[in-house]
Amino acid sequence: MTTQSRVNQPAIALVVITDLDGTLLDHFNYSAAAAQPALKRLRKMHIPVVFNTSKTCDEVAGLRHELDNTDPFVCENGSVIHIPKSEGGGYNSEILGTSYVQILKVLHHMHQQGFHFRGFNDMPASEVAALTGLPQDKAWLSKKRAASEPIIWHDSDDALTDFRNQLEAAGLQLTKGGRFYHVMGQADKASGLAFARDFYQHLWDQPVKVVALGDGENDRAMLEAADYPIVIPGEKQTLSIDNPNAVTAPRKGPAGWNHCIIELLEKLQ
Ligand SMILES: [Mg+2]
């Protein structure tokens, strides 16, 4: 690449891929304020920050705007990839898992069999707001789904095992996030990481290293696939990751995010 290239080459061939809730965003107030010093430093170095979240495209759009993020992003636990178009706004999107309509069909069948659970499709926005702590206008955006369904489980542990087995027989899977279980197709947050690695290797025409940050069980596959996994301490428990390079942040949420990214950049520079 020459200096005339329209692609901003990063100071280090590094991509940051991150969970949002409880990781870049505070678990309670959804603020990323404590991570601003690290985000500013990454932007200055042209290092992309790829959001990889259980949130929907419409929920992430507002946050990308607030944080002035223009990088590709991955929604609904690795099920959907969105690449911003270079002109005219909007995204090119691709579903890696199973479509929402197909998932709802299977869940309808599960309700008919007598399993007790509620999904976002069964709930008014006010109920989603009460469960997530989101304001109602943002809760409504979280109901606009493409390829996964968050559910609250109201049945026994034995029934959950049965439920999981039946989902698997239908080609779906059940993963546990910070607040909900997620029913989705055969994709996970590691699918999002693989996409980000390929995308930037192609764009920059060189091998890239990936730093991943997450706090929930649904982040495990992404963290295990990263070159530099950073575990953010969870609200209830902290993940133990099968990756020799894994570090655990000394603080929860965006403060831990900030600390570990700055520490890593200083180590790599
Ligand atoms: Mg999380």
Side-chain angles (χ1 to χ4, degrees):
M1 288 274 172
T2 66
T3 50
Q4 280 82 44
S5 168
R6 60 191 178 81
V7 174
N8 281 324
Q9 287 285 321
I12 313 170
L14 188 71
V15 174
V16 175
I17 186 159
T18 183
D19 170 51
L20 294 177
D21 291 358
T23 298
L24 179 59
L25 305 181
D26 182 89
H27 182 77
F28 298 102
N29 66 17
Y30 293 99
S31 167
Q36 278 299 346
L39 287 168
K40 276 186 193 148
R41 197 181 291 198
L42 289 165
R43 187 172 309 137
K44 216 169 163 185
M45 295 172 75
H46 300 300
I47 294 173
V49 178
V50 174
F51 299 160
N52 193 1
T53 175
S54 59
K55 289 178 182 291
T56 65
C57 179
D58 289 290
E59 286 181 285
V60 177
L63 183 72
R64 288 174 83 250
H65 184 71
E66 279 168 39
L67 296 180
D68 196 21
N69 181 294
T70 56
D71 300 316
F73 57 105
V74 185
C75 291
E76 303 188 37
N77 283 314
S79 301
V80 201
I81 284 162
H82 304 283
I83 303 172
K85 292 181 181 170
S86 51
E87 282 174 16
Y91 317 107
N92 289 309
S93 305
E94 187 184 352
I95 291 181
L96 298 183
T98 302
S99 75
Y100 194 47
V101 169
Q102 190 57 38
I103 290 168
L104 292 182
K105 264 193 214 168
V106 173
L107 289 180
H108 180 67
H109 180 65
M110 298 295 226
H111 273 305
Q112 284 179 324
Q113 287 190 73
F115 289 109
H116 296 291
F117 64 95
R118 274 172 83 74
F120 274 22
N121 190 55
D122 307 316
M123 302 177 191
S126 57
E127 188 174 344
V128 174
L131 286 169
T132 56
L134 289 168
Q136 206 154 316
D137 56 335
K138 290 196 174 168
W140 182 74
L141 298 177
S142 76
K143 283 170 57 67
K144 294 173 74 180
R145 312 201 64 85
S148 69
E149 177 72 332
I151 64 164
I152 291 279
W153 189 247
H154 291 307
D155 214 322
S156 68
D157 289 351
D158 282 352
L160 183 66
T161 304
D162 195 13
F163 180 76
R164 186 190 297 273
N165 290 340
Q166 292 203 36
L167 287 178
E168 283 171 9
L172 301 177
Q173 56 168 334
L174 186 70
T175 63
K176 197 174 187 321
R179 287 183 171 83
F180 303 100
Y181 284 97
H182 300 268
V183 178
M184 52 186 281
Q186 297 302 319
D188 59 25
K189 285 191 172 186
S191 318
L193 184 146
F195 151 75
R197 191 192 292 277
D198 286 355
F199 181 85
Y200 285 102
Q201 276 182 179
H202 194 73
L203 188 70
W204 297 336
D205 198 23
Q206 61 177 313
V208 304
K209 298 281 191 193
V210 180
V211 47
L213 302 98
D215 71 320
E217 189 56 45
N218 60 337
D219 298 313
R220 179 182 293 281
M222 170 180 76
L223 291 163
E224 288 181 349
D227 300 292
Y228 304 108
I230 297 171
V231 176
I232 301 292
E235 277 311 308
K236 290 182 186 140
Q237 57 194 32
T238 297
L239 284 177
S240 166
I241 292 300
D242 186 14
N243 183 320
N245 295 331
V247 298
T248 299
R251 297 167 74 182
K252 289 179 185 174
W257 202 102
N258 190 64
H259 175 96
C260 288
I261 288 290
I262 286 177
E263 193 175 69
L264 180 67
L265 291 177
E266 281 171 5
K267 195 175 93 180
L268 296 178
Q269 267 180 317

